[in-house]
Amino acid sequence: MMFRVHIYNGSLALVGKSGVGQAANHQHAALERTGVSVVTDWQPRADVVHINTVLPCSFWAARRARRQGIPVIWYGHSTEADFRHSFVGSDLLAPLFKRWLCLCYNQADLILTPTPYAAHILGSYRLRPPVQALSNGVDTDFFAPDPTRRAAFRKARGLTDTEKVVISVGHFMERKGILDFIALARSLPQVRFFWFGHTDPALVPRAIREAMAAAPANLEFPGFLSQAELRDAYCGADAFLFCSHEETEGIVVLEALACGTPTLLRDIPVYNGWLTDGVNVHKGRDARELRVKLTGLLYGRLPDVTEAGRQVAEARSLPNIGRALQRIYATLPVPARRAAPALRPRRRTA
């Protein structure tokens, strides 16, 4: 069956530089590579609507689709846990954010979230639709090992062939482990560190701004990179260090693995079952262990597991994700017309 899929883009421009925006791009590419027609508007009538954001316009788009009888897949990129320790005021707003997430996700026919860990969290919310795990995927044709890109990155950054380079990617958030990254850079002055990404300064907590301002000279914050520039950085680095405390998957981890970058992660539950210490990545439980593992990785005292890491990324290639989505579409209900779920349950009367 040929499916027509509408990826709702009403609020994607606001998250274009985040993992959510990249996930939506992956959906588009995965579907097109497997012969699915991605329609940019409601007409011609879509068979399925994908929603990735949790802004008010997305809520109303889901209700509109359901009234037209179009199944809605809502991507569960967000949880209360990964909202905490992020932007200014996020800890205070987290309980309200969870209630809003539940209201949004309950408009769907199916919730897709990228890992079993995230599916377990969302399952605890007692949502109406079923929750299923499906990776965000990674473009393993684009993100791939390439020695010429290593040379291009090092030339662009003024690095010698022998300098040790560690990179990370993400918003300027405590949750992303930026404070530990800064501390590790300070403890290894002979190593060059780069944190790629950008966050509106108004959203960055004061403690993070102050830590970044006091960062050591061997750590740079070059800002947001294009996908091509980021690929060069993965290929040019000696290690990808991701100190994040909470994720639903981590697209940047998949990108690093696809590029064959030696990868060191904080040992958190989201990686259980698919990323194993010493097998396809290396892990550290805390800042002390991350430092020990990082020096071992940089100076050849840990095994090279990059090929196994690349295989993890290949299993989540965009064509594989596209085919998995088609199998999911075949299971969705397609009624002719139906009402969207009520905003509030009706009170029982005596």
Side-chain angles (χ1 to χ4, degrees), residues 36-116:
V36 174
S37 175
V38 181
V39 295
T40 57
D41 207 340
W42 299 92
Q43 300 298 328
R45 187 178 183 277
D47 298 306
V48 182
V49 170
H50 285 201
I51 296 181
N52 287 275
T53 57
V54 289
L55 295 172
C57 62
S58 304
F59 172 87
W60 292 111
R63 292 181 66 81
R64 175 185 175 189
R66 288 178 59 82
R67 288 195 182 99
Q68 294 181 5
I70 305 173
V72 173
I73 291 179
W74 207 308
Y75 276 79
H77 300 297
S78 300
T79 66
E80 180 188 17
D82 77 0
F83 183 72
R84 291 183 180 276
H85 309 306
S86 54
F87 304 115
V88 172
S90 61
D91 287 10
L92 291 174
L93 293 173
L96 291 176
F97 183 68
K98 179 181 177 180
R99 292 175 63 183
W100 173 248
L101 285 180
C102 291
L103 186 61
C104 289
Y105 291 159
N106 274 332
Q107 307 307 309
D109 293 279
L110 174 67
I111 299 163
L112 287 182
T113 195
T115 56

Side-chain angles (χ1 to χ4, degrees), residues 281-293:
V281 296
H282 296 285
K283 297 180 182 179
R285 290 168 294 182
D286 51 32
R288 184 196 64 80
E289 195 166 291
L290 285 169
R291 186 185 187 282
V292 171
K293 291 284 187 79

Side-chain angles (χ1 to χ4, degrees), residues 136-178:
N136 288 311
V138 61
D139 188 343
T140 53
D141 293 330
F142 183 85
F143 289 101
D146 188 337
T148 63
R149 299 196 180 283
R150 175 180 176 85
F153 170 75
R154 288 180 171 256
K155 181 179 179 180
R157 298 293 167 185
L159 301 164
T160 68
D161 291 339
T162 58
E163 283 184 283
K164 298 297 184 182
V165 176
V166 177
I167 67 168
S168 196
V169 183
H171 283 294
F172 305 147
M173 298 176 180
E174 181 183 351
R175 174 176 68 83
K176 290 291 184 180
I178 192 170

Side-chain angles (χ1 to χ4, degrees), residues 234 237-241 256-257 259-264 282 297 304-306:
Y234 289 128
D238 296 294
F240 173 73
L241 172 61
L257 294 176
C259 287
T261 313
T263 297
L264 175 60
H282 296 285
L297 194 59
D304 181 356
V305 296
T306 53

Side-chain angles (χ1 to χ4, degrees), residues 1-4 35-37 47:
M1 177 180 175
M2 175 62 72
F3 294 99
R4 295 179 305 277
V36 174
S37 175
D47 298 306

Side-chain angles (χ1 to χ4, degrees), residues 311-331:
Q311 290 173 15
V312 170
E314 286 283 8
R316 292 157 178 78
S317 69
L318 295 186
N320 284 342
I321 299 304
R323 287 187 285 269
L325 282 170
Q326 290 193 55
R327 292 191 293 270
I328 288 168
Y329 298 155
T331 69

